[in-house]
């Protein structure tokens, strides 16, 4: 709803510059409607009334003292009158080209609204600006300006912000928003943008005070930022729509940032910075001023350090400290910063004295420690027991010493039995028959057979190399009439040895050899898995000790064949029990299955010889 006061102020905002104190004094003295009529008529509202007083410069918070003119000070009446007529002519020329009704309609279509003093959304804290109070504010956003500024803090700083400054500004924006405080800033590059983004990241409203119209995105790269601020907060400007920013308007809008908030925090400001101008307005309005210190070698923090040195600002290092500064006394206190607690803090004075007297290297006896600590021996002994139980000290041959805590980065690994290498002498040791008989029962489940006669699988993968050891074959791989090698037989060189054939699996097992004298051909051609070994190549007996022996093999139950890898191919081969190798006769081994029957592992049974007494 637009009233005549809204249209008059919208027209005067086109006629006078933002922050013009002369126009502000006329409006405050005669009202907006009468001042607009006087500007159109190029005469003062009431020539008989004295001119508005100019002497109260303490209420002029524009911050731009170069704008003061001779007519703004008490002086000759004729000179003041001539100055007012010059201003009226300038305002009249601008007002003639203005169309306040069109501005209000365009702003309404774009979603913007004009708020003037007396409206419910007007922030009453702006009245402290006196003659520098804006004639009205153009708002564009969903948040209520007055409600948002009740608990608000301004965060300003340099445009050429360092990564440190941008990080701190975003941290303050997030911290303030999460605590229910609104962040107010100017929307510029650097610290302002970081503070706004921090507030938006916490899903809280933020107030962006612009130096141009609310429909002008400046800077242009902040168009997404302004769009997000309109959704969660509000854009504020005292310039009519379509007005572009100038250098003077940036300095003039700083007074609004300081007046809308309950306090201002400066993050990174050089000796010549617009943020220091905002700090000056905050001091003039008796608002809280906080400064975040920076590196003393950074030129971007020189202005902040000067404010601290001149004791014009309070040092803050966290959002909680800023809230404590600008918040309600006693309600918004920041949590006190405490030093980190150490485990030694809980020790008594005598226990600490004993702990300090214990050496870190070597060791010391209880009497020596008691003398060094200045406590009785009983007290020292009691403290040593408590400290040892708590892990502070440890007992050594020389007495007591400080226990060294393990490094969290490079802990020392304790060697275990698995990690310790096996000596070479133990790797190639061959157990005797007596040793094998001792492990007969203990290793039955790992290396032996079940009651059905099924062979246990070898733990070594097929094809893996193995040292030369005791090797023998079962009936499926030894043809009829093949002699066995006795312990007294000469050792066969490795180059003359033939690799025993691998025993096939249960699915595709090869048939065994026919009985002696049978003319039936072998089940597999020579050179294939499961084919018999030629009869002219002897085999090593289990009791033979080669030049290089293999690791100890567990003994098996009597009369049960087993599988051991081949030394060359790594394939498993059947071997009889250890006692079977002591027979020196050359009687051919009988076959337990006919030639036509497949050689299934359950059918490959070797008759066990009579067990010998241990």
């Amino acid at each position: 709803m637009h009233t005549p006061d809204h249209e008059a102020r919208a027209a005067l905002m086109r006629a006078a510059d933002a922050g013009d104190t002369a126009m502000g004094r006329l409006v405050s003295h005669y009202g907006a409607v009468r001042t607009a009529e006087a500007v159109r008529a190029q005469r003062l509202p009431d020539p008989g009334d004295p001119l508005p007083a100019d002497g109260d410069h303490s209420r002029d918070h524009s911050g731009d003292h170069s704008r003061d003119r001779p007519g703004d000070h008490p002086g000759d009446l004729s000179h003041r009158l001539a100055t007012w007529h010059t201003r009226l002519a300038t305002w009249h020329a601008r007002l003639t080209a203005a169309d306040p009704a069109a501005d209000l309609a365009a702003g309404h279509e774009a979603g913007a609204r004009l708020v003037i003093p007396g409206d419910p959304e007007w922030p009453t804290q702006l009245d402290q600006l006196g003659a520098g109070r804006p004639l009205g504010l153009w708002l564009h956003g969903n948040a209520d300006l007055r409600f948002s500024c009740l608990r608000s803090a301004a965060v300003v700083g340099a445009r050429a912000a360092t990564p440190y400054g941008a990080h701190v500004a975003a941290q303050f924006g997030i911290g303030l928003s999460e605590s229910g405080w609104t962040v107010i800033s100017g929307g510029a590059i650097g610290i302002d943008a970081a503070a706004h983004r921090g507030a938006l990241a916490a899903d809280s409203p933020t107030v962006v005070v612009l130096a141009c119209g609310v429909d002008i995105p400046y800077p242009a790269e902040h168009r997404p930022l302004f769009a997000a601020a309109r959704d969660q907060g509000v854009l504020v400007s005292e310039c009519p729509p379509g007005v572009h920013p100038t250098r003077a308007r940036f300095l003039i809008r700083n007074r609004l940032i300081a007046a809308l908030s309950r306090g201002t925090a400066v993050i990174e400001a050089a000796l010549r910075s617009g943020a220091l101008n905002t700090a000056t307005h905050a001091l003039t309005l008796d608002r809280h001023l906080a400064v975040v210190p920076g590196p003393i070698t950074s030129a971007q923090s020189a202005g902040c350090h000067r404010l601290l040195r001149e004791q014009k600002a309070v040092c803050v290092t966290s959002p909680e400290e800023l809230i404590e500064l600008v918040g309600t006394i006693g309600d918004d206190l920041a949590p006190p910063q405490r030093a980190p607690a150490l485990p030694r803090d809980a020790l008594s004075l005598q226990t600490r004295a004993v702990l300090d007297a214990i050496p870190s290297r070597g060791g010391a006896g209880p009497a020596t420690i008691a003398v060094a600590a200045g406590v009785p021996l009983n007290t020292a002994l009691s403290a040593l027991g408590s400290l040892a139980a708590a892990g502070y000290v440890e007992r050594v041959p020389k007495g007591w010493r400080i226990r060294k805590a393990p490094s969290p980065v490079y802990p020392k690994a304790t060697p275990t039995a698995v990690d310790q290498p096996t000596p070479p002498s133990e790797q190639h040791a061959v157990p005797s028959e007596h040793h094998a008989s001792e492990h007969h029962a203990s290793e039955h489940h790992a290396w032996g057979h079940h009651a059905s006669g099924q062979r246990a699988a070898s733990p070594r993968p097929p094809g893996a190399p193995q040292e030369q050891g005791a090797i023998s074959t079962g009936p499926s791989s030894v043809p009829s009439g093949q002699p066995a090698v006795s312990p007294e037989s000469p050792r066969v060189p490795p180059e003359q040895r033939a690799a025993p054939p691998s025993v096939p699996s249960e699915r595709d097992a090869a048939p065994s050899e026919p009985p002696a004298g049978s003319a039936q051909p072998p089940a597999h051609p020579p050179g294939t898995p499961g084919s018999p070994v030629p009869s002219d190549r002897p085999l090593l007996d289990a009791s033979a000790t080669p030049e290089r022996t293999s690791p100890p093999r567990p003994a098996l139950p009597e009369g049960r064949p087993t599988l051991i890898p081949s030394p060359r191919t790594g394939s498993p081969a059947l071997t009889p029990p250890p006692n079977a190798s002591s027979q020196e006769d050359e009687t051919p081994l009988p076959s337990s299955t006919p030639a036509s029957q497949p050689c299934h592992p359950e059918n490959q049974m070797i008759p066990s010889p009579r067990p010998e007494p241990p």
Side-chain angles (χ1 to χ4, degrees):
M1 179 178 179
H2 298 155
T3 62
D5 198 8
H6 284 81
E7 294 185 3
R9 288 181 177 270
L12 294 179
M13 293 173 68
R14 287 285 185 179
D17 294 332
D20 192 341
T21 56
M23 177 63 73
R25 285 191 290 268
L26 284 178
V27 172
S28 61
H29 189 77
Y30 298 106
V33 176
R34 294 185 59 187
T35 302
E37 295 175 354
V39 171
R40 289 189 180 93
Q42 298 189 33
R43 60 180 181 83
L44 292 176
D46 190 356
D49 293 343
L51 297 178
D54 314 316
D56 189 8
H57 291 279
S58 60
R59 310 299 299 173
D60 185 4
H61 303 295
S62 63
D64 188 4
H65 300 285
S66 61
R67 300 177 56 86
D68 294 347
R69 298 177 177 83
D72 294 339
H73 301 277
D76 185 65
L77 181 60
S78 59
H79 179 74
R80 293 174 56 196
L81 185 60
T83 303
W84 276 107
H85 282 293
T86 303
R87 292 177 177 175
L88 289 174
T90 303
W91 294 338
H92 174 75
R94 296 177 179 178
L95 188 59
T96 302
D99 188 356
D103 291 342
L104 294 174
H108 180 72
E109 293 178 0
R113 57 191 182 275
L114 178 63
V115 178
I116 63 175
D119 289 347
E121 199 175 353
W122 177 262
T124 57
Q125 59 264 35
L126 293 179
D127 298 340
Q128 298 180 12
L129 293 175
R133 184 186 65 176
L135 300 176
L137 293 177
W138 288 93
L139 308 181
H140 192 187
N142 298 326
D144 184 273
L145 179 61
R146 180 177 181 179
F147 179 78
S148 300
C149 294
L150 292 179
R151 291 170 55 89
S152 62
V155 180
V156 297
R159 289 180 172 85
T162 63
Y164 159 78
H167 172 75
V168 173
Q171 181 182 6
F172 269 70
I174 295 175
L176 291 171
S177 299
E178 290 180 348
S179 301
W181 289 73
T182 303
V183 177
I184 301 177
S185 193
I189 299 175
I191 300 299
D192 295 6
H196 288 307
R197 291 191 178 98
L200 295 175
D203 296 333
S204 297
T206 182
V207 177
V208 184
V209 183
L210 301 176
C212 55
V214 293
D215 58 338
I216 303 297
Y218 184 87
E221 57 265 27
H222 285 177
R223 188 185 300 269
L225 176 62
F226 296 153
R230 287 193 296 268
D231 296 337
Q232 296 182 212
V234 61
L235 303 181
V236 181
S237 177
E238 58 179 328
C239 299
V243 176
H244 291 270
T246 60
R247 183 181 297 272
R249 286 171 181 156
F250 279 111
L251 297 176
I252 295 172
R253 69 91 190 264
N254 289 339
R255 80 190 195 284
L256 296 181
I257 298 177
L260 288 173
S261 61
R262 300 178 64 173
T264 302
V266 181
I267 304 176
E268 284 196 336
L271 294 176
R272 182 180 178 89
S273 173
L276 297 182
N277 180 263
T278 307
T280 302
H281 290 302
L283 294 175
T284 306
L285 294 171
D286 296 332
R287 304 294 171 84
H288 297 287
L289 180 61
V291 165
V292 177
I296 61 175
T297 56
S298 176
Q300 299 299 332
S301 299
C304 299
H305 298 160
R306 188 180 68 178
L307 290 176
L308 293 176
R309 178 178 173 81
E310 295 175 355
Q311 300 181 1
K312 295 181 179 180
V314 178
C315 177
V316 295
T317 58
S318 64
E320 292 76 14
E321 295 179 358
L322 178 60
I323 294 174
E324 179 182 357
L325 178 65
V326 302
T328 304
I329 298 177
D331 294 341
D332 299 316
L333 296 177
Q337 295 184 359
R338 301 181 182 274
L342 300 178
R344 294 194 177 193
D345 298 342
L347 301 178
S348 61
L349 295 179
Q350 292 182 345
T351 307
R352 293 183 191 177
V354 173
L355 182 59
D356 294 337
I358 300 175
S360 58
R361 294 183 179 180
T368 305
I369 296 175
V371 173
V375 296
L377 180 59
N378 294 335
T379 304
L381 291 175
S382 176
L384 287 174
S386 302
L387 293 174
Y392 287 95
V393 297
E394 61 182 353
R395 189 70 177 270
V396 294
K398 295 184 179 180
W400 295 89
R401 71 175 181 183
I402 300 295
R403 183 178 181 181
K404 296 181 180 179
S407 174
V409 181
Y410 301 102
K412 294 183 179 180
T414 303
T416 59
V418 179
D419 300 333
Q420 294 178 356
T422 304
S425 60
E426 299 180 7
Q427 294 179 359
H428 305 288
V430 178
S432 61
E433 296 181 0
H434 178 69
H435 181 85
S437 62
E438 292 178 356
H439 293 78
H440 181 92
S442 62
E443 300 294 336
H444 171 70
H445 297 284
W447 294 82
H449 296 280
H450 299 286
S452 60
Q454 184 178 0
R455 292 187 302 270
S458 173
R460 185 182 301 275
Q466 179 185 357
E467 297 82 353
Q468 299 176 2
I471 303 172
S472 64
T473 59
S476 62
S477 60
V478 180
S480 177
Q482 176 68 30
V485 181
S486 62
E488 291 80 6
S489 301
R491 186 167 52 245
V492 181
E495 60 271 5
Q496 297 182 7
R497 300 173 186 172
S502 59
V503 178
S505 61
E506 298 180 5
R507 180 179 298 178
D508 53 353
S512 61
E513 296 80 10
S518 176
Q520 185 175 356
H524 294 275
T528 61
S531 60
V533 182
S535 60
D536 56 346
R537 294 184 179 181
L539 298 176
L540 294 178
D541 187 71
S543 61
T545 304
E547 181 178 356
R548 187 178 182 182
T549 60
S550 60
R553 293 292 181 181
L556 301 176
E558 297 178 357
R560 301 298 183 183
T562 185
L563 284 172
I564 60 174
S566 174
R568 295 186 181 179
T569 62
S571 58
L574 285 172
T575 178
N579 295 331
S581 61
S582 61
Q583 299 179 0
E584 299 181 3
D585 57 347
E586 298 181 359
T587 305
L589 299 174
S591 176
S592 61
T593 56
S596 61
Q597 183 178 358
C599 183
H600 197 273
E602 296 180 355
N603 300 326
Q604 298 180 5
M605 302 297 297
I606 302 177
S608 174
R610 180 175 299 175
E612 298 179 3

